Amino acid sequence: MRTTIVAVTCLCLTTFACDPGQAPAERGEPDQGVSFTTSSGERAWLDVRIADSDDERARGLMGVELLGDHEGMAFVYDEPTTGSFWMKDTLIPLSIAFVDDGRIVAVEDMMPCTADPCPTWDAGGAEYTLAIEANAGWFLDQGVGVGDRAELEEAGRA
């Protein structure tokens, strides 16, 4: 009986949590959240999946057909970077906020791309250690922009 339970558990974990073909945002509950505070003191919350390895960052939200209204992905870097993002094989339009030292340094809207060469988006030369993707227009709709605060927190702490 124990062997059967272990086998079923492993099969379920492999099928639902570890399928490399499944996009991160479709793998279940968000890892964390990002709390935003605007210059006027308004607050917004975005549940995010974390991409903190080269492979996770490269895959990003490729293949994702739908994000919830307040869901996205946070790309976390150990060192400041000026790298750019592209939308190759990304199916939905997204907005991205680049964050350094807890402040948003740039916000861009990005459109899907299915054929090379795909355009790239960056923080305008500014360094960042966190990039946050959400549905297109999410930052504007929440009143979140350049100079506002952004902080990773535990999921569900809206």
Side-chain angles (χ1 to χ4, degrees):
M1 179 70 165
R2 184 177 178 351
T3 304
T4 303
I5 292 171
V6 170
V8 170
T9 301
C10 289
L11 177 61
C12 289
L13 289 174
T14 301
T15 302
F16 297 109
C18 301
D19 181 358
Q22 192 176 27
E26 296 172 340
R27 290 186 191 154
E29 294 301 312
D31 296 318
Q32 288 184 269
V34 180
S35 173
F36 297 92
T37 305
T38 67
S39 57
S40 65
E42 297 293 316
R43 295 184 54 91
W45 179 266
L46 185 70
D47 289 317
V48 294
R49 299 294 300 174
I50 301 296
D52 58 3
S53 71
D54 289 341
D55 183 55
E56 290 170 334
R57 288 188 293 258
R59 187 176 41 222
L61 292 172
M62 286 180 178
V64 173
E65 295 178 350
L66 179 68
L67 280 177
D69 290 344
H70 296 279
E71 292 180 351
M73 178 167 273
F75 298 80
V76 180
Y77 297 87
D78 293 328
E79 300 288 328
T81 184
T82 58
S84 60
F85 282 68
W86 71 339
M87 295 284 286
K88 177 72 173 167
D89 297 327
T90 303
L91 307 175
I92 57 176
L94 299 169
S95 292
I96 187 168
F98 297 93
V99 179
D100 187 49
D101 198 27
R103 294 237 181 246
I104 297 173
V105 297
V107 177
E108 296 287 338
D109 292 324
M110 307 182 298
M111 297 306 296
C113 178
T114 57
D116 289 328
C118 290
T120 60
W121 289 269
D122 60 34
E127 290 186 335
Y128 60 92
T129 55
L130 176 65
I132 305 153
E133 289 181 342
N135 285 311
W138 188 88
F139 298 103
L140 181 64
D141 291 346
Q142 301 302 311
V144 173
V146 172
D148 291 341
R149 302 226 27 101
E151 182 178 350
L152 275 175
E153 297 185 18
E154 292 179 35
R157 287 194 42 189

